Amino acid sequence: NVPDDSMEPTIKEGALVLVDRSFGVSTARLAQASAGSVHDGIYLFSMNTSTKGTQTAPTQLLIRRILFRVDGKMIVRCDNPKYSEESYDMEARKRPRPIGRVVWHANRI
């Protein structure tokens, strides 16, 4: 279930999503991505909220839209305009890493 309103109006808060974890986007292919890339889309990300010593806090799951620019940047954005977008270099070690691509969603009536 989508935990927040960050992807509204495309995907509503509480919607059920189906994630394809076999999307197979390699780092080499991402580096070659162009405007309108086949890799653009909505993805599920895993974010560790904090790390203390050897223990990692529970993982937070996020759904965001990814766009790959011609200059090699990865843009991560929400569809809801109240949230700002983020830009990452493809070589950045701390850039978000997708778990899978969102391929379907359903909302309550």
Side-chain angles (χ1 to χ4, degrees):
N1 291 336
V2 177
D4 58 29
D5 66 347
S6 62
M7 290 304 294
E8 289 186 8
T10 307
I11 302 174
K12 296 191 182 303
E13 182 176 358
L16 182 65
V17 295
L18 178 65
V19 176
D20 179 3
R21 295 187 65 186
S22 68
F23 64 103
V25 180
S26 69
T27 304
R29 290 204 54 200
L30 288 177
Q32 298 169 354
S34 62
S37 169
V38 296
H39 302 292
D40 289 357
I42 299 173
Y43 289 85
L44 175 69
F45 295 90
S46 173
M47 303 292 286
N48 291 327
T49 54
S50 66
T51 304
K52 293 182 179 181
T54 59
Q55 293 184 341
T56 302
T59 300
Q60 179 182 10
L61 297 176
L62 303 172
I63 295 176
R64 300 289 186 263
R65 183 176 300 278
I66 299 179
L67 303 168
F68 296 98
R69 294 190 344 196
V70 176
D71 64 1
K73 298 262 188 206
M74 179 176 83
I75 307 301
V76 178
R77 68 169 53 150
C78 301
D79 286 359
N80 190 330
K82 76 179 184 181
Y83 298 100
S84 60
E85 72 179 24
E86 299 173 9
S87 176
Y88 298 91
D89 287 322
M90 292 307 296
E91 299 82 33
R93 291 186 334 166
K94 295 209 176 206
R95 72 177 169 84
R97 307 258 187 239
I99 295 173
R101 189 174 193 155
V102 175
V103 294
W104 177 87
H105 69 92
N107 298 314
R108 287 184 178 233
I109 297 178

XYZ file of all heavy atoms in Angstrom:
855
model
N 0.834 -1.186 0.000
C 0.000 0.000 0.000
C 0.877 1.247 0.000
O 1.888 1.291 0.692
C -0.895 0.026 1.232
C -1.962 -1.036 1.195
O -2.344 -1.516 0.125
N -2.442 -1.423 2.344
N 0.452 2.248 -0.746
C 1.189 3.508 -0.824
C 0.990 4.265 0.494
O -0.138 4.531 0.890
C 0.696 4.344 -2.029
C 1.406 5.682 -2.086
C 0.905 3.570 -3.320
N 2.099 4.621 1.174
C 1.987 5.185 2.520
C 1.646 6.669 2.601
O 1.298 7.153 3.671
C 3.385 4.952 3.100
C 4.283 4.981 1.913
C 3.482 4.388 0.784
N 1.763 7.416 1.491
C 1.562 8.866 1.578
C 0.975 9.419 0.279
O 0.682 8.681 -0.646
C 2.872 9.572 1.925
C 3.975 9.276 0.911
O 3.668 9.019 -0.270
O 5.152 9.319 1.288
N 0.826 10.747 0.238
C 0.207 11.402 -0.919
C 1.229 11.910 -1.941
O 0.896 12.679 -2.824
C -0.669 12.568 -0.454
C 0.132 13.701 0.179
O 1.332 13.500 0.492
O -0.442 14.784 0.366
N 2.471 11.472 -1.855
C 3.542 12.015 -2.697
C 3.353 11.757 -4.188
O 3.863 12.505 -5.007
C 4.895 11.475 -2.252
O 4.930 10.070 -2.405
N 2.606 10.727 -4.565
C 2.424 10.414 -5.990
C 1.031 10.788 -6.500
O 0.669 10.429 -7.610
C 2.709 8.937 -6.251
C 4.178 8.574 -6.103
S 5.283 9.547 -7.144
C 4.794 9.003 -8.761
N 0.239 11.510 -5.695
C -1.078 11.955 -6.160
C -0.910 13.070 -7.175
O 0.022 13.860 -7.060
C -1.918 12.433 -4.973
C -2.355 11.275 -4.104
C -3.318 11.682 -2.994
O -3.784 12.837 -2.978
O -3.598 10.832 -2.154
N -1.693 13.147 -8.214
C -2.940 12.432 -8.452
C -2.769 11.088 -9.176
O -3.738 10.366 -9.355
C -3.723 13.397 -9.340
C -2.675 14.079 -10.142
C -1.491 14.204 -9.204
N -1.557 10.722 -9.597
C -1.363 9.487 -10.350
C -1.700 8.261 -9.521
O -2.452 7.387 -9.964
C 0.093 9.380 -10.846
O 0.430 10.577 -11.543
C 0.280 8.192 -11.759
N -1.116 8.168 -8.332
C -1.372 7.050 -7.427
C -1.775 7.636 -6.084
O -1.014 8.382 -5.474
C -0.123 6.154 -7.265
C 0.338 5.621 -8.623
C -0.423 5.004 -6.312
C 1.645 4.843 -8.566
N -2.961 7.291 -5.620
C -3.487 7.871 -4.390
C -2.924 7.189 -3.143
O -2.535 6.024 -3.180
C -5.006 7.764 -4.381
C -5.658 8.563 -5.490
C -7.147 8.655 -5.277
C -7.827 9.405 -6.385
N -7.361 10.723 -6.629
N -2.891 7.956 -2.046
C -2.476 7.413 -0.757
C -3.353 6.213 -0.416
O -4.569 6.260 -0.577
C -2.617 8.483 0.328
C -2.170 8.031 1.681
C -2.220 9.137 2.718
O -2.572 10.282 2.376
O -1.907 8.848 3.877
N -2.760 5.115 0.019
C -3.500 3.907 0.371
C -3.722 2.949 -0.794
O -4.224 1.848 -0.596
N -3.346 3.348 -2.008
C -3.538 2.481 -3.177
C -2.652 1.242 -3.057
O -1.581 1.260 -2.452
C -3.196 3.235 -4.456
N -3.119 0.180 -3.643
C -2.356 -1.064 -3.713
C -1.539 -1.029 -4.992
O -2.065 -0.684 -6.056
C -3.317 -2.252 -3.728
C -2.708 -3.638 -3.761
C -1.929 -3.901 -2.477
C -3.802 -4.670 -3.934
N -0.237 -1.340 -4.911
C 0.621 -1.342 -6.104
C 1.241 -2.715 -6.311
O 1.476 -3.464 -5.359
C 1.737 -0.271 -6.031
C 1.161 1.128 -6.032
C 2.635 -0.477 -4.835
N 1.506 -3.028 -7.564
C 2.212 -4.242 -7.949
C 3.576 -3.815 -8.475
O 3.660 -2.948 -9.353
C 1.443 -4.999 -9.031
C 2.103 -6.267 -9.566
C 2.206 -7.326 -8.472
C 1.306 -6.798 -10.742
N 4.630 -4.402 -7.917
C 5.992 -4.015 -8.265
C 6.693 -5.177 -8.964
O 6.739 -6.291 -8.442
C 6.785 -3.610 -6.996
C 8.226 -3.289 -7.335
C 6.112 -2.424 -6.317
N 7.241 -4.894 -10.143
C 8.022 -5.868 -10.901
C 9.472 -5.752 -10.456
O 10.134 -4.767 -10.756
C 7.888 -5.594 -12.395
C 8.694 -6.554 -13.249
O 9.330 -7.480 -12.698
O 8.682 -6.380 -14.478
N 9.958 -6.740 -9.730
C 11.327 -6.707 -9.225
C 12.325 -7.256 -10.236
O 13.512 -7.282 -9.975
C 11.419 -7.472 -7.915
C 10.593 -6.774 -6.832
C 10.778 -7.380 -5.507
N 12.164 -7.180 -5.090
C 12.668 -7.710 -4.002
N 11.929 -8.459 -3.230
N 13.920 -7.498 -3.673
N 11.865 -7.680 -11.404
C 12.762 -8.221 -12.425
C 13.034 -7.200 -13.519
O 13.342 -7.556 -14.643
C 12.150 -9.481 -13.040
O 10.990 -9.142 -13.787
N 12.915 -5.917 -13.180
C 13.031 -4.873 -14.188
C 14.412 -4.810 -14.816
O 14.580 -4.330 -15.912
C 12.603 -3.513 -13.629
C 13.471 -3.010 -12.510
C 14.413 -2.036 -12.733
C 13.331 -3.506 -11.234
C 15.207 -1.568 -11.703
C 14.117 -3.047 -10.198
C 15.061 -2.078 -10.438
N 15.472 -5.264 -14.140
C 16.797 -5.446 -14.714
C 17.467 -4.232 -15.310
O 18.053 -4.317 -16.381
N 17.441 -3.097 -14.653
C 18.118 -1.912 -15.159
C 19.562 -1.944 -14.659
O 19.814 -1.834 -13.476
C 17.426 -0.622 -14.687
C 18.148 0.595 -15.212
C 15.983 -0.616 -15.124
N 20.514 -2.119 -15.574
C 21.927 -2.169 -15.175
C 22.511 -0.761 -15.105
O 22.042 0.153 -15.776
C 22.733 -2.997 -16.170
O 22.830 -2.315 -17.409
N 23.542 -0.595 -14.301
C 24.204 0.700 -14.156
C 24.744 1.187 -15.496
O 24.640 2.361 -15.832
C 25.342 0.604 -13.130
O 24.789 0.116 -11.902
C 25.981 1.950 -12.891
N 25.299 0.295 -16.301
C 25.841 0.677 -17.612
C 24.741 1.221 -18.519
O 24.924 2.226 -19.204
C 26.514 -0.518 -18.269
N 23.574 0.583 -18.529
C 22.471 1.055 -19.376
C 21.902 2.367 -18.849
O 21.499 3.227 -19.621
C 21.374 0.005 -19.472
C 21.865 -1.189 -20.289
C 20.811 -1.993 -20.925
N 19.918 -1.215 -21.750
C 18.711 -1.639 -22.092
N 18.275 -2.792 -21.674
N 17.922 -0.908 -22.840
N 21.879 2.543 -17.533
C 21.394 3.799 -16.969
C 22.302 4.955 -17.380
O 21.840 6.048 -17.662
C 21.322 3.728 -15.444
C 20.210 2.867 -14.868
C 20.308 2.844 -13.356
C 18.851 3.334 -15.307
N 23.609 4.713 -17.424
C 24.563 5.754 -17.799
C 24.358 6.196 -19.242
O 24.673 7.328 -19.605
C 25.987 5.254 -17.606
N 23.781 5.339 -20.077
C 23.553 5.658 -21.485
C 22.138 6.169 -21.745
O 21.781 6.445 -22.880
C 23.789 4.414 -22.344
C 25.189 3.892 -22.264
C 25.317 2.520 -22.920
O 24.334 1.926 -23.332
N 26.530 2.035 -22.999
N 21.335 6.284 -20.702
C 19.934 6.679 -20.872
C 19.825 8.075 -21.468
O 20.619 8.957 -21.191
C 19.215 6.633 -19.524
N 18.829 8.248 -22.309
C 18.612 9.546 -22.947
C 17.249 10.087 -22.552
O 16.492 9.428 -21.861
C 18.694 9.379 -24.467
O 17.669 8.508 -24.907
N 16.941 11.278 -23.016
C 15.632 11.883 -22.723
C 14.543 10.949 -23.217
O 14.616 10.420 -24.317
C 15.528 13.238 -23.397
N 13.542 10.750 -22.417
C 12.468 9.851 -22.801
C 12.911 8.396 -22.754
O 12.409 7.572 -23.480
N 13.836 8.089 -21.899
C 14.401 6.748 -21.782
C 13.324 5.716 -21.463
O 12.346 6.007 -20.770
C 15.450 6.744 -20.675
O 15.837 5.439 -20.361
N 13.549 4.502 -21.929
C 12.642 3.405 -21.577
C 12.725 3.098 -20.091
O 11.874 2.401 -19.557
C 12.942 2.129 -22.391
C 12.694 2.352 -23.861
C 14.341 1.627 -22.146
N 13.730 3.603 -19.425
C 13.890 3.384 -17.995
C 13.129 4.401 -17.157
O 13.027 4.227 -15.946
C 15.376 3.414 -17.618
C 16.178 2.393 -18.346
N 16.031 1.045 -18.137
C 17.115 2.515 -19.305
C 16.854 0.381 -18.921
N 17.524 1.251 -19.642
N 12.636 5.480 -17.772
C 11.810 6.435 -17.034
C 10.567 5.699 -16.538
O 10.025 4.841 -17.228
C 11.365 7.592 -17.932
C 12.494 8.531 -18.301
O 13.618 8.338 -17.825
O 12.236 9.455 -19.098
N 10.114 6.029 -15.355
C 8.911 5.396 -14.841
C 8.775 5.598 -13.347
O 9.486 6.388 -12.732
N 7.857 4.857 -12.750
C 7.590 4.937 -11.324
C 8.194 3.700 -10.675
O 7.943 2.579 -11.115
C 6.073 5.041 -11.059
C 5.519 6.308 -11.723
C 5.792 5.037 -9.560
C 4.022 6.431 -11.661
N 9.000 3.926 -9.635
C 9.743 2.852 -8.997
C 9.526 2.829 -7.490
O 9.195 3.842 -6.882
C 11.244 3.012 -9.259
C 11.639 2.732 -10.689
C 11.555 3.713 -11.655
C 12.092 1.474 -11.059
C 11.910 3.458 -12.972
C 12.453 1.207 -12.373
C 12.364 2.199 -13.321
O 12.718 1.934 -14.615
N 9.754 1.654 -6.909
C 9.745 1.467 -5.466
C 11.187 1.523 -4.976
O 12.071 0.885 -5.561
C 9.136 0.108 -5.110
C 9.163 -0.291 -3.633
C 8.215 0.591 -2.826
C 8.805 -1.753 -3.479
N 11.427 2.297 -3.916
C 12.748 2.436 -3.321
C 12.706 1.993 -1.871
O 11.695 2.140 -1.201
C 13.207 3.906 -3.329
C 13.402 4.465 -4.685
C 12.362 5.090 -5.339
C 14.623 4.374 -5.313
C 12.537 5.615 -6.595
C 14.818 4.892 -6.568
C 13.768 5.515 -7.213
N 13.826 1.513 -1.394
C 13.987 1.187 0.011
C 14.947 2.196 0.613
O 16.049 2.391 0.104
C 14.562 -0.225 0.143
O 14.865 -0.490 1.480
N 14.526 2.854 1.683
C 15.366 3.843 2.350
C 15.520 3.420 3.805
O 14.529 3.260 4.513
C 14.720 5.228 2.298
C 14.424 5.728 0.901
S 15.878 6.083 -0.071
C 16.389 7.603 0.693
N 16.758 3.233 4.264
C 16.995 2.963 5.680
C 16.891 4.283 6.415
O 17.543 5.250 6.054
C 18.369 2.335 5.900
C 18.427 0.937 5.343
O 17.431 0.228 5.358
N 19.579 0.538 4.863
N 16.074 4.314 7.457
C 15.835 5.573 8.153
C 17.015 5.997 9.013
O 17.299 7.166 9.129
C 14.553 5.492 9.004
O 14.652 4.368 9.871
C 13.334 5.359 8.133
N 17.730 5.063 9.618
C 18.915 5.416 10.397
C 19.731 4.169 10.695
O 19.230 3.056 10.664
C 18.530 6.106 11.701
O 17.849 5.199 12.531
N 20.999 4.389 10.987
C 21.892 3.296 11.341
C 22.603 3.658 12.639
O 23.179 4.726 12.742
C 22.941 3.053 10.236
O 22.248 2.816 9.020
C 23.821 1.879 10.553
N 22.542 2.770 13.619
C 23.217 2.987 14.904
C 24.115 1.786 15.155
O 23.627 0.688 15.368
C 22.198 3.141 16.027
C 21.380 4.396 15.920
C 20.435 4.531 17.079
C 19.640 5.808 16.950
N 18.732 5.999 18.051
N 25.426 2.013 15.091
C 26.364 0.917 15.294
C 26.218 -0.109 14.187
O 26.322 0.202 13.015
N 25.909 -1.346 14.565
C 25.737 -2.408 13.574
C 24.270 -2.670 13.272
O 23.955 -3.509 12.445
C 26.390 -3.715 14.075
O 25.774 -4.073 15.320
C 27.884 -3.550 14.235
N 23.381 -1.947 13.942
C 21.953 -2.154 13.724
C 21.382 -1.084 12.799
O 21.711 0.086 12.911
C 21.188 -2.135 15.036
C 21.526 -3.307 15.932
C 20.664 -3.298 17.183
O 20.087 -2.278 17.537
N 20.560 -4.443 17.829
N 20.530 -1.512 11.886
C 19.859 -0.603 10.976
C 18.388 -0.528 11.365
O 17.761 -1.553 11.616
C 19.991 -1.097 9.520
O 21.372 -1.207 9.210
C 19.330 -0.140 8.551
N 17.873 0.683 11.413
C 16.462 0.885 11.737
C 15.593 0.292 10.628
O 16.086 0.018 9.540
C 16.189 2.378 11.892
N 14.319 0.100 10.896
C 13.442 -0.469 9.874
C 13.501 0.315 8.566
O 13.698 1.523 8.558
C 12.049 -0.361 10.503
C 12.296 -0.279 11.966
C 13.624 0.403 12.124
N 13.318 -0.389 7.480
C 13.385 0.205 6.162
C 12.071 0.879 5.811
O 11.000 0.347 6.073
C 13.692 -0.890 5.121
O 14.937 -1.467 5.456
C 13.749 -0.340 3.729
N 12.170 2.056 5.216
C 11.001 2.783 4.745
C 10.908 2.571 3.241
O 11.901 2.677 2.530
C 11.149 4.266 5.054
C 9.994 5.092 4.571
C 10.199 6.567 4.857
O 11.265 7.003 5.240
N 9.163 7.341 4.642
N 9.714 2.257 2.748
C 9.509 2.082 1.317
C 8.899 3.347 0.738
O 7.972 3.919 1.305
C 8.594 0.885 1.050
C 9.140 -0.464 1.509
C 8.112 -1.556 1.282
C 10.434 -0.795 0.806
N 9.448 3.801 -0.381
C 8.980 5.007 -1.055
C 8.685 4.705 -2.512
O 9.366 3.890 -3.130
C 10.061 6.092 -1.007
C 10.570 6.511 0.361
C 11.761 7.430 0.198
C 9.476 7.189 1.145
N 7.706 5.390 -3.058
C 7.410 5.280 -4.484
C 7.640 6.648 -5.101
O 7.100 7.653 -4.619
C 5.968 4.799 -4.724
C 5.830 3.375 -4.182
C 5.615 4.867 -6.204
C 4.452 2.810 -4.264
N 8.456 6.675 -6.147
C 8.812 7.929 -6.809
C 8.936 7.725 -8.309
O 9.189 6.621 -8.778
C 10.152 8.477 -6.290
C 10.195 8.773 -4.812
C 9.353 9.986 -4.461
N 9.489 10.356 -3.066
C 8.649 10.001 -2.107
N 7.604 9.238 -2.369
N 8.847 10.400 -0.870
N 8.803 8.809 -9.044
C 9.009 8.800 -10.495
C 10.484 9.101 -10.773
O 11.065 9.986 -10.155
C 8.125 9.855 -11.164
C 8.214 9.857 -12.677
C 7.250 10.860 -13.290
N 5.872 10.580 -12.938
C 5.097 9.677 -13.570
N 5.598 8.951 -14.543
N 3.847 9.513 -13.214
N 11.079 8.354 -11.713
C 12.467 8.594 -12.109
C 12.492 9.039 -13.562
O 11.817 8.461 -14.415
C 13.334 7.327 -12.009
C 13.394 6.810 -10.594
C 14.741 7.590 -12.513
C 14.222 5.557 -10.458
N 13.270 10.071 -13.829
C 13.525 10.547 -15.187
C 15.034 10.605 -15.369
O 15.755 11.071 -14.491
C 12.920 11.933 -15.397
C 11.421 12.048 -15.133
C 11.003 13.503 -15.090
C 10.652 11.300 -16.194
N 15.507 10.124 -16.500
C 16.934 10.154 -16.793
C 17.195 11.221 -17.844
O 16.615 11.191 -18.925
C 17.413 8.781 -17.273
C 17.283 7.737 -16.212
C 16.193 6.888 -16.183
C 18.235 7.630 -15.217
C 16.056 5.938 -15.197
C 18.107 6.676 -14.210
C 17.016 5.827 -14.206
N 18.065 12.175 -17.514
C 18.358 13.283 -18.415
C 19.545 12.955 -19.314
O 20.361 12.094 -19.006
C 18.652 14.551 -17.613
C 17.438 15.044 -16.866
C 17.585 16.395 -16.255
N 18.938 16.896 -16.133
C 19.282 17.904 -15.367
N 18.373 18.519 -14.642
N 20.518 18.328 -15.310
N 19.628 13.691 -20.412
C 20.704 13.505 -21.378
C 22.067 13.761 -20.757
O 23.057 13.115 -21.097
C 20.487 14.428 -22.604
C 21.636 14.334 -23.576
C 19.185 14.085 -23.292
N 22.148 14.680 -19.790
C 23.433 15.006 -19.165
C 23.878 13.980 -18.119
O 24.871 14.177 -17.433
C 23.402 16.401 -18.552
C 22.408 16.535 -17.403
O 21.745 15.543 -17.046
O 22.293 17.652 -16.862
N 23.159 12.866 -18.006
C 23.568 11.804 -17.104
C 23.015 11.916 -15.697
O 23.374 11.135 -14.826
N 22.139 12.851 -15.438
C 21.543 13.013 -14.110
C 20.285 12.143 -13.998
O 19.563 11.929 -14.956
C 21.141 14.465 -13.873
C 22.288 15.427 -13.911
C 22.744 15.746 -12.550
C 23.769 16.874 -12.643
N 24.662 16.835 -11.545
N 20.043 11.663 -12.793
C 18.824 10.936 -12.476
C 17.953 11.882 -11.649
O 18.380 12.363 -10.600
C 19.133 9.676 -11.670
C 17.891 8.900 -11.295
S 18.261 7.337 -10.442
C 18.476 7.904 -8.773
N 16.758 12.165 -12.136
C 15.821 13.040 -11.437
C 14.799 12.160 -10.725
O 14.177 11.301 -11.339
C 15.099 13.987 -12.415
C 16.091 14.751 -13.289
C 14.157 14.927 -11.670
C 17.075 15.595 -12.527
N 14.640 12.369 -9.430
C 13.661 11.641 -8.629
C 12.621 12.658 -8.187
O 12.952 13.656 -7.551
C 14.332 10.970 -7.409
C 13.297 10.263 -6.558
C 15.433 10.027 -7.852
N 11.362 12.402 -8.563
C 10.328 13.378 -8.221
C 9.031 12.697 -7.820
O 8.793 11.543 -8.132
C 10.083 14.333 -9.378
C 9.445 13.701 -10.589
C 8.971 14.705 -11.621
N 10.009 15.621 -12.008
C 10.103 16.187 -13.181
N 9.219 15.914 -14.113
N 11.073 17.017 -13.456
N 8.238 13.474 -7.123
C 6.886 13.070 -6.762
C 5.940 13.719 -7.765
O 6.239 14.781 -8.295
C 6.551 13.561 -5.356
S 7.661 12.947 -4.093
N 4.799 13.093 -8.017
C 3.815 13.709 -8.904
C 3.056 14.832 -8.203
O 2.517 15.717 -8.841
C 2.847 12.660 -9.440
C 3.481 11.772 -10.497
O 4.671 11.976 -10.825
O 2.785 10.877 -11.010
N 3.021 14.802 -6.884
C 2.364 15.835 -6.105
C 3.284 17.066 -6.073
O 4.414 16.976 -5.593
C 2.104 15.333 -4.685
C 1.224 16.246 -3.887
O 1.213 17.454 -4.101
N 0.504 15.680 -2.938
N 2.826 18.218 -6.594
C 3.697 19.391 -6.686
C 4.143 19.986 -5.359
O 5.059 20.801 -5.334
C 2.842 20.394 -7.475
C 1.443 19.942 -7.315
C 1.488 18.461 -7.124
N 3.566 19.559 -4.242
C 4.006 20.125 -2.962
C 5.338 19.533 -2.487
O 5.929 20.023 -1.544
C 2.917 19.986 -1.894
C 2.725 18.633 -1.303
C 1.625 18.693 -0.244
C 1.458 17.367 0.452
N 0.403 17.402 1.453
N 5.835 18.499 -3.180
C 7.131 17.904 -2.844
C 8.149 18.287 -3.911
O 7.853 18.270 -5.105
C 7.027 16.378 -2.774
C 6.077 15.891 -1.709
C 4.783 15.487 -2.027
C 6.464 15.847 -0.375
C 3.899 15.045 -1.054
C 5.583 15.403 0.614
C 4.307 15.010 0.256
O 3.442 14.582 1.224
N 9.368 18.598 -3.490
C 10.403 19.021 -4.444
C 11.094 17.803 -5.052
O 11.123 16.724 -4.463
C 11.429 19.922 -3.752
O 12.042 19.231 -2.705
N 11.676 18.024 -6.249
C 12.408 16.946 -6.907
C 13.859 16.940 -6.446
O 14.357 17.929 -5.897
C 12.331 17.073 -8.429
C 13.120 18.194 -9.021
C 13.006 18.246 -10.542
O 12.023 17.742 -11.106
O 13.916 18.803 -11.159
N 14.522 15.812 -6.662
C 15.930 15.662 -6.303
C 16.690 15.231 -7.546
O 16.153 14.532 -8.404
C 16.087 14.619 -5.202
C 15.357 14.981 -3.936
C 15.366 13.869 -2.906
O 16.083 12.865 -3.093
O 14.643 13.999 -1.909
N 17.946 15.638 -7.644
C 18.790 15.312 -8.784
C 20.051 14.614 -8.288
O 20.656 15.049 -7.308
C 19.148 16.602 -9.530
O 20.030 16.330 -10.578
N 20.434 13.525 -8.961
C 21.612 12.757 -8.567
C 22.480 12.482 -9.788
O 21.966 12.195 -10.871
C 21.205 11.405 -7.962
C 20.392 11.525 -6.706
C 19.005 11.573 -6.752
C 21.013 11.586 -5.469
C 18.255 11.685 -5.598
C 20.264 11.696 -4.299
C 18.891 11.740 -4.375
O 18.141 11.859 -3.228
N 23.794 12.525 -9.603
C 24.709 12.051 -10.635
C 24.630 10.535 -10.640
O 24.485 9.906 -9.581
C 26.159 12.468 -10.333
C 26.386 13.950 -10.570
O 25.817 14.482 -11.538
O 27.123 14.560 -9.769
N 24.768 9.934 -11.812
C 24.694 8.482 -11.908
C 25.825 7.807 -11.135
O 25.704 6.678 -10.715
C 24.700 8.044 -13.365
C 23.443 8.449 -14.115
S 21.918 7.927 -13.299
C 22.094 6.161 -13.397
N 26.938 8.509 -10.943
C 28.075 7.933 -10.225
C 27.970 8.112 -8.716
O 28.775 7.568 -7.967
C 29.400 8.566 -10.700
C 29.696 8.348 -12.172
C 28.968 9.344 -13.065
O 28.767 10.492 -12.645
O 28.589 8.956 -14.172
N 26.998 8.889 -8.250
C 26.858 9.178 -6.822
C 26.601 7.896 -6.032
O 25.721 7.114 -6.389
C 25.726 10.173 -6.597
N 27.380 7.704 -4.986
C 27.213 6.496 -4.172
C 25.928 6.530 -3.361
O 25.357 5.498 -3.062
C 28.406 6.331 -3.234
C 29.668 6.004 -3.958
C 30.820 5.697 -3.068
N 30.749 6.312 -1.752
C 31.511 5.970 -0.742
N 32.392 5.025 -0.879
N 31.413 6.581 0.424
N 25.452 7.702 -3.003
C 24.280 7.806 -2.136
C 22.985 8.054 -2.907
O 21.994 8.447 -2.323
C 24.502 8.898 -1.102
C 25.616 8.556 -0.160
C 25.412 9.175 1.170
C 26.523 8.692 2.081
N 26.159 8.718 3.446
N 23.006 7.811 -4.212
C 21.751 7.990 -4.954
C 20.796 6.849 -4.626
O 21.227 5.752 -4.273
C 22.010 8.074 -6.454
C 22.400 6.784 -7.102
C 22.549 7.000 -8.618
N 23.164 5.864 -9.233
C 22.521 4.767 -9.622
N 21.217 4.682 -9.442
N 23.155 3.768 -10.172
N 19.495 7.106 -4.706
C 18.520 6.053 -4.416
C 18.667 4.886 -5.393
O 18.952 5.082 -6.573
C 17.169 6.744 -4.615
C 17.454 8.189 -4.568
C 18.855 8.368 -5.032
N 18.480 3.698 -4.901
C 18.553 2.494 -5.723
C 17.165 1.847 -5.753
O 16.624 1.474 -4.716
C 19.552 1.508 -5.152
C 20.909 2.099 -4.921
C 21.875 1.707 -5.985
N 23.219 2.164 -5.627
C 23.905 2.981 -6.385
N 23.407 3.415 -7.503
N 25.113 3.365 -6.034
N 16.577 1.717 -6.922
C 15.234 1.134 -7.003
C 15.220 -0.363 -6.707
O 16.171 -1.075 -7.021
C 14.807 1.411 -8.443
C 16.060 1.653 -9.193
C 17.070 2.159 -8.219
N 14.136 -0.816 -6.089
C 13.903 -2.238 -5.834
C 13.187 -2.851 -7.024
O 13.432 -3.978 -7.401
C 13.037 -2.422 -4.570
C 13.771 -1.937 -3.346
C 12.612 -3.864 -4.417
C 12.916 -1.945 -2.102
N 12.264 -2.093 -7.605
C 11.471 -2.589 -8.722
C 10.615 -1.489 -9.304
O 10.515 -0.398 -8.745
N 10.019 -1.800 -10.448
C 9.189 -0.829 -11.169
C 7.717 -1.076 -10.879
O 7.254 -2.219 -10.913
C 9.457 -0.964 -12.660
C 8.833 0.103 -13.477
C 9.261 -0.025 -14.924
N 8.898 1.172 -15.634
C 9.489 1.589 -16.714
N 10.488 0.902 -17.232
N 9.103 2.694 -17.299
N 6.992 -0.009 -10.578
C 5.556 -0.110 -10.339
C 4.881 -0.327 -11.704
O 5.057 0.467 -12.620
C 5.001 1.153 -9.652
C 3.485 1.077 -9.521
C 5.656 1.340 -8.286
N 4.143 -1.428 -11.821
C 3.519 -1.771 -13.107
C 1.992 -1.738 -13.062
O 1.332 -1.830 -14.097
C 3.993 -3.160 -13.607
C 5.469 -3.127 -13.926
C 3.682 -4.252 -12.605
N 1.416 -1.596 -11.842
C -0.039 -1.602 -11.711
C -0.399 -0.987 -10.378
O 0.348 -1.095 -9.408
C -0.527 -3.053 -11.790
C -1.991 -3.260 -11.594
C -2.965 -3.200 -12.555
C -2.658 -3.570 -10.363
N -4.189 -3.464 -11.966
C -4.012 -3.695 -10.644
C -2.196 -3.748 -9.060
C -4.947 -3.986 -9.658
C -3.121 -4.044 -8.072
C -4.490 -4.169 -8.393
N -1.561 -0.335 -10.336
C -2.074 0.160 -9.047
C -3.587 0.154 -9.062
O -4.224 0.199 -10.113
C -1.545 1.568 -8.721
C -2.068 2.655 -9.590
N -3.191 3.376 -9.271
C -1.625 3.149 -10.767
C -3.420 4.274 -10.213
N -2.480 4.156 -11.134
N -4.181 0.050 -7.865
C -5.636 0.065 -7.701
C -5.975 0.916 -6.496
O -5.269 0.890 -5.489
C -6.164 -1.348 -7.503
N -7.065 1.673 -6.613
C -7.532 2.552 -5.534
C -8.867 2.074 -5.002
O -9.627 1.414 -5.703
C -7.712 3.984 -6.057
C -6.424 4.572 -6.543
O -5.413 4.477 -5.886
N -6.470 5.172 -7.712
N -9.161 2.480 -3.779
C -10.495 2.224 -3.223
C -11.488 3.187 -3.858
O -11.148 4.290 -4.224
C -10.500 2.456 -1.719
C -9.789 1.376 -0.975
C -9.926 1.639 0.498
N -9.273 0.555 1.187
C -9.854 -0.166 2.123
N -11.071 0.118 2.513
N -9.221 -1.149 2.695
N -12.698 2.763 -3.930
C -13.756 3.616 -4.487
C -14.364 4.425 -3.367
O -14.575 3.962 -2.291
C -14.846 2.776 -5.193
C -14.201 2.067 -6.370
C -15.993 3.646 -5.625
C -15.136 1.163 -7.122
